[in-house]
C-alpha cells in the first residue's frame, strides 16, 4: 500500500477507534469488527493492535481491564481524557473533510 494512502487510512481508523471507545470500553476483536463494518471491508490482521499500541504510547487510550473469554485473556481498552481532547481537536478538520469529500471523490473518480 502507498505510504500516503496508508497514513490516510491509519488516521481514519484511529478516529473511528477513539469515537467507538468514547462510547465505552472495548477489546481489540470487537474494535476490529467495528472498523470492518464502518469501512465496509476487511482490515489487515494486527492493524487494530498496532493502532491501539500507538494510542497507548500517546496516552490517548489505556488498558481498562483484562477479561477471560473462552479460556483466553483479552485486554479491554478505554479512552483517556487526552483521547477525548484529541477527538475534539479534530472537529474542524472533519467538518472541512465532510464539506469537500463529495466534490473531491467526483473529481478523482473522473480521472
Amino acid at each position: 500500500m502507498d505510504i500516503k494512502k496508508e497514513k490516510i487510512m491509519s488516521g481514519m481508523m484511529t478516529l473511528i477507534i477513539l469515537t467507538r471507545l468514547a462510547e465505552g470500553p472495548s477489546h481489540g476483536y470487537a474494535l476490529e469488527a467495528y472498523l470492518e463494518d464502518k469501512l465496509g471491508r476487511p482490515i489487515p490482521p494486527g492493524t487494530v493492535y498496532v493502532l491501539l499500541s500507538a494510542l497507548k504510547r500517546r496516552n490517548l487510550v489505556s488498558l481498562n481491564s483484562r477479561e477471560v473469554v473462552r479460556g483466553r485473556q483479552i485486554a479491554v481498552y478505554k479512552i483517556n481524557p487526552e483521547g477525548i481532547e484529541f477527538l475534539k481537536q479534530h472537529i474542524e478538520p472533519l467538518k472541512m473533510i465532510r464539506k469537500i469529500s463529495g466534490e473531491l471523490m467526483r473529481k478523482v473518480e473522473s480521472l
Side-chain angles (χ1 to χ4, degrees):
M1 182 182 294
D2 178 277
I3 192 72
K4 289 182 181 181
K5 182 178 176 184
E6 191 173 308
K7 284 183 178 185
I8 290 170
M9 290 300 296
S10 175
M12 186 168 35
M13 288 188 288
T14 293
L15 291 172
I16 293 169
I17 288 172
L18 288 173
T19 55
R20 170 54 192 89
L21 291 176
E23 297 171 357
S26 186
H27 56 84
Y29 180 76
L31 290 168
E32 181 178 323
Y34 184 78
L35 273 171
E36 288 179 347
D37 180 61
K38 292 295 176 190
L39 297 173
R41 64 185 181 108
I43 59 173
T47 299
V48 168
Y49 299 100
V50 169
L51 293 171
L52 284 169
S53 179
L55 291 169
K56 278 178 59 179
R57 279 194 310 275
R58 295 167 66 189
N59 198 36
L60 301 179
V61 303
S62 60
L63 185 63
N64 185 61
S65 63
R66 292 196 180 271
E67 298 175 1
V68 177
V69 176
R70 293 185 212 122
R72 293 185 60 196
Q73 199 174 65
I74 60 169
V76 178
Y77 297 89
K78 66 178 182 177
I79 193 168
N80 292 337
E82 294 86 349
I84 297 290
E85 186 57 34
F86 180 87
L87 285 174
K88 289 179 179 179
Q89 291 171 359
H90 284 80
I91 290 172
E92 289 306 313
L94 288 169
K95 285 180 181 178
M96 286 188 296
I97 290 168
R98 180 175 56 194
K99 182 179 177 181
I100 65 168
S101 63
E103 179 184 349
L104 185 59
M105 283 300 304
R106 285 188 297 281
K107 287 183 178 184
V108 171
E109 288 175 340
S110 72
L111 297 177

